[in-house]
Amino acid sequence: MDATQAPNWRLVDGAWAVTYSAPLSTVGSFLVSGPTVNIAHSSGLAHKGSVHPSTEAGYEGVVDYNDASRKDYFVRNPVDGSISGAHYVDGEHIADFTAKKPLQALPREVLKWLQSLDLSYSIRNCKREFTNGFLVAEIFSRYYPNDISMHTFENGTKTACRNDNWEQLFRFFKRKQLPLGKLDFEPVNQSIVGAAQALLVKIYTLLTHRAVPEFIVNELPPDDIVLKRELPPEDFTQQAPAEAPPPAPVVEQAPTTEQDAYRAFEAIRQSR
């Protein structure tokens, strides 16, 4: 291996989007910072773990929950940098999982869409300028003008301002039954690398009913996104009428269902 190349068990810093198969059937995130990994599942489980080389044959690394019970063993996909592997509990293989590498830039489709919304200011640093939730509120105000009042949101940098903006958005998401929660936006509020990009891709899919093909991001430098550039303009009135219909439901289990499923699984495991 090249001396300058990081070993395959090391994970890039940022927000990794994680999906677990049945019986867990849940999603979550790895917030990676060096060897430290903050692990969160939408079922409510949260741990401060670590990543290190695997001692299990066939795996390159392991995300250790540091609870003497749970471990996610993985191998790396050399094509796109994602990882996949097995979720173990007390030495037993429970479910498979995949985790996508943090995005370093936005897909061109999402850039063009954001430009078409005529937001109040240009975006030059995706991680910084979406941190306080103000632009996210402005995006949703284009599709839900009767539900989002921009005068209640503040475009500030103080912690209290950011938290208030996201709390208003969270209440709006719940009221409209939109599949967006704290696991999606808290990493953005914390300026985690790749978190804003991942949230914007999800919002784009939700509001436009268009999927973004998977790809390796290499067309723009990290966190140096300039929207006001030579992109063909789009007619926003065609895309988002004054009173757009609610977006089609996204296939994602409700948190209560995931929590019940996970608790049932834990109860069965502990009764063995």
Side-chain angles (χ1 to χ4, degrees):
M1 183 178 69
D2 188 330
T4 62
Q5 182 180 352
N8 278 345
W9 63 267
R10 290 193 181 277
L11 301 180
V12 175
D13 285 359
W16 292 67
V18 190
T19 303
Y20 293 90
S21 67
L24 297 187
S25 301
T26 191
V27 296
S29 64
F30 294 156
L31 302 184
V32 179
S33 178
T36 301
V37 184
N38 288 321
I39 306 159
H41 294 184
S42 60
S43 59
L45 181 146
H47 281 277
K48 186 172 185 177
S50 59
V51 59
H52 51 78
S54 171
T55 56
E56 293 289 322
Y59 296 104
E60 297 168 338
V62 57
V63 175
D64 192 336
Y65 288 55
N66 292 341
D67 62 355
S69 177
R70 299 174 178 83
K71 291 180 172 65
D72 289 345
Y73 292 93
F74 65 83
V75 294
R76 187 182 301 277
N77 184 329
V79 176
D80 62 7
S82 65
I83 61 173
S84 60
H87 177 70
Y88 277 76
V89 178
D90 294 334
E92 182 181 357
H93 179 192
I94 300 301
D96 295 328
F97 80 95
T98 58
K100 293 182 179 180
K101 186 178 178 182
L103 290 175
Q104 297 295 310
L106 286 170
R108 182 176 173 82
E109 298 94 325
V110 180
L111 285 170
K112 292 177 64 178
W113 170 68
L114 288 172
Q115 184 188 42
S116 75
L117 301 182
D118 192 26
L119 300 176
S120 58
Y121 59 92
S122 300
I123 300 163
R124 295 181 179 275
N125 185 307
C126 202
K127 181 176 73 172
R128 182 184 65 233
E129 291 167 353
F130 280 92
T131 299
N132 64 9
F134 181 85
L135 283 179
V136 175
E138 194 169 25
I139 289 170
F140 278 96
S141 74
R142 301 294 193 264
Y143 289 83
Y144 296 88
N146 296 327
D147 297 282
I148 297 286
S149 298
M150 288 308 300
H151 72 271
T152 66
F153 292 87
E154 182 181 350
N155 188 18
T157 59
K158 292 183 179 179
T159 301
C161 167
R162 299 200 313 268
N163 291 343
D164 180 67
N165 287 347
W166 285 115
E167 182 60 31
Q168 289 188 67
L169 284 168
F170 184 51
R171 293 196 297 266
F172 164 73
F173 297 151
K174 291 179 67 176
R175 188 168 66 251
K176 290 297 182 179
Q177 298 183 328
L178 300 175
L180 295 167
K182 293 186 177 181
L183 277 178
D184 296 300
F185 64 76
E186 283 186 345
V188 182
N189 191 7
Q190 298 167 21
S191 298
I192 302 296
V193 175
Q197 290 89 332
L199 177 62
L200 288 170
V201 168
K202 188 169 183 178
I203 291 173
Y204 168 83
T205 302
L206 177 67
L207 294 178
T208 68
H209 312 278
R210 296 197 291 255
V212 178
E214 293 191 19
F215 64 99
I216 301 174
V217 178
N218 56 14
E219 56 184 280
L220 289 173
D223 290 325
D224 190 21
I225 312 304
V226 181
L227 291 182
K228 303 301 184 181
R229 57 196 184 101
E230 294 181 3
L231 293 176
E234 292 188 5
D235 184 358
F236 175 71
T237 59
Q238 298 281 333
Q239 217 177 91
E243 188 65 44
V250 175
V251 179
E252 181 174 319
Q253 285 189 316
T256 52
T257 302
E258 292 170 352
Q259 291 173 11
D260 293 341
Y262 197 91
R263 288 169 184 159
F265 156 72
E266 287 287 89
I268 294 172
R269 181 178 67 81
Q270 293 172 8
S271 67
R272 291 179 181 173

